[in-house]
Amino acid sequence: MPHDSGVHVKSWLRLKHLVVLVALDESRNMHTAARQMNISQPAVSKMLKDIESFLGMALFVREPGRLDTTEAGSRVLRYARRLLNDTDRLVEDLASLREGGAGKLTVGSVPGAAPVMLPHAMTVLKARRPQLAISLFENSSDRLLVDLEYGLLDVVIGRYTEHAQRHLFDFEPLKEEPVSVVVRPGHPLCQGLPTLSDVVRWPWVLHPMTSPMRGLFEAALAEAGVASPRNVIETTSTQASLQLIASSDTLSVLPSSVLKTSFSEGKFATLALTIGEPLGYYGVMTRRDEPHSDIVDEFIATLLSSPEQERVVENGPPGSATSEG
């Protein structure tokens, strides 16, 4: 690839090249990728060869019947997915405008923020922009940030889960997130003061190991010298967790704010058991060095001016807020 690479890449690389690379990465097979794209296998092979020749680096290692990405290939594929996702979003936005809409906002949120701050912010935004299409996805921070990096989300309400993410995303703190051990009313553990040794003997529904909330729970167990529970269902769905808790003796660690909504208040109980410190402040996270749309800016401003956030500003977040994982 020539030394003035930026100009040449922009003038030579095409969206069809990126589509081929993503198809190859997902299928890990030339023939399968060719079938998915409805072109011949030799055409796919030639296109990959042309791309690698232009970039001057191998993107895939050819094994019998299989392709594996190289380090360079992984970097190119991250770029390819972001650009293709942005292209899909552009097509959707233009279609919305043609049909009289007012654009689209796609938000990802950790469970603790979803029932507290977001309803107010979305209500205010919809009052100003009735035709705006808003999509909300609830998940753990680690999964949301992957979707944010690849352009599937416009903004995330979450927290850093690893140090490398600080180079990818901007963070503005919003609110602390205490957690509670949640059970159904009348659960046997509601009597007395259970210990960690007591609760791990019961069935649990928990976030996956990669999530900060699960990490907080596992760290508390390790500090107390208590083994992790063996009877566990893993899910990031708050609704599924609450259903399991309500219909059985299952326990869960959930954001305390989830239990303060009109839908769940009074329907669940919390144990007199503290699981570590609060998770720290979650915040508004966006892709670094990427300009925001007017809609994203307005959404963030609405969040920061919400009644919940005003109380946080008055108290002031701790100086280490943005270092919470």
Side-chain angles (χ1 to χ4, degrees):
M1 186 169 57
H3 291 299
D4 50 347
S5 55
V7 174
H8 285 270
V9 168
K10 292 174 185 176
S11 63
W12 185 84
L13 201 59
R14 299 287 183 266
L15 285 178
K16 65 181 179 181
H17 295 136
L18 305 183
V19 172
V20 166
L21 293 177
V22 170
L24 287 170
D25 183 53
E26 291 178 348
S27 66
R28 299 301 174 103
N29 183 277
M30 288 274 190
H31 294 283
T32 304
R35 284 199 304 272
Q36 290 174 351
M37 298 184 64
N38 199 28
I39 59 178
S40 68
Q41 186 271 329
V44 171
S45 180
K46 181 180 184 305
M47 199 174 299
L48 175 59
K49 184 177 179 180
D50 289 343
I51 297 169
E52 291 180 325
S53 176
F54 177 78
L55 296 177
M57 303 182 76
L59 304 183
F60 292 91
V61 177
R62 280 75 161 171
E63 301 288 350
R66 178 177 172 81
L67 298 171
D68 290 314
T69 53
T70 64
E71 182 179 352
S74 296
R75 295 193 180 195
V76 172
L77 279 158
R78 283 199 295 271
Y79 164 80
R81 284 192 166 89
R82 284 198 300 268
L83 189 56
L84 291 176
N85 289 333
D86 283 346
T87 302
D88 289 340
R89 293 292 305 278
L90 173 62
V91 172
E92 291 175 3
D93 287 346
L94 293 176
S96 174
L97 290 173
R98 280 197 300 269
E99 295 167 3
K104 183 176 182 179
L105 175 68
T106 307
V107 180
S109 175
V110 293
V116 181
M117 289 187 173
L118 288 178
H120 172 266
M122 290 189 293
T123 299
V124 171
L125 198 58
K126 286 290 284 184
R128 297 173 186 160
R129 299 173 179 258
Q131 300 303 313
L132 174 66
I134 301 178
S135 296
L136 173 62
F137 299 91
E138 183 181 313
N139 215 323
S140 56
S141 290
D142 58 314
R143 299 189 180 187
L144 292 173
L145 291 181
V146 172
D147 289 342
L148 180 62
E149 179 183 359
Y150 288 143
L152 296 173
L153 299 172
D154 295 314
V155 60
V156 161
I157 313 303
R159 56 175 59 82
Y160 294 121
T161 60
E162 55 185 69
H163 287 287
Q165 294 166 344
R166 301 171 195 279
H167 303 293
L168 299 175
F169 311 112
D170 290 321
F171 177 98
E172 185 159 4
L174 286 174
K175 195 174 187 297
E176 193 176 47
E177 187 178 25
V179 299
S180 300
V181 178
V182 183
V183 296
R184 63 171 177 80
H187 192 287
L189 287 174
C190 291
Q191 307 299 321
L193 299 173
T195 65
L196 286 173
S197 297
D198 297 327
V199 299
V200 294
R201 300 191 182 104
W202 294 81
W204 285 81
V205 54
L206 295 166
H207 273 217
M209 282 289 192
T210 53
S211 75
M213 193 153 23
R214 180 67 176 275
L216 184 76
F217 179 54
E218 296 294 337
L221 293 177
E223 185 175 345
V226 176
S228 300
R230 295 183 178 180
N231 186 352
V232 175
I233 296 174
E234 290 191 349
T235 180
T236 59
S237 170
T238 301
Q239 187 61 38
S241 297
L242 292 176
Q243 290 288 349
L244 284 165
I245 295 167
S247 60
S248 68
D249 286 335
T250 300
L251 288 72
S252 187
V253 175
L254 292 172
S256 303
S257 58
V258 169
L259 306 180
K260 298 176 182 177
T261 68
S262 59
F263 298 102
S264 57
E265 192 168 15
K267 297 180 181 178
F268 300 92
T270 58
L271 299 184
L273 183 64
T274 300
I275 302 294
E277 297 295 327
L279 278 174
Y281 278 66
Y282 53 73
V284 181
M285 306 184 76
T286 52
R287 290 181 290 277
R288 177 159 292 182
D289 300 325
E290 182 176 308
H292 300 164
S293 68
D294 292 342
I295 294 172
V296 169
D297 279 335
E298 187 174 346
F299 174 70
I300 293 174
T302 305
L303 271 177
L304 294 175
S305 64
S306 70
E308 287 283 339
Q309 180 59 12
E310 287 172 3
R311 288 196 286 273
V312 173
V313 172
E314 288 173 4
N315 295 330
S320 60
T322 57
S323 66
E324 294 292 341

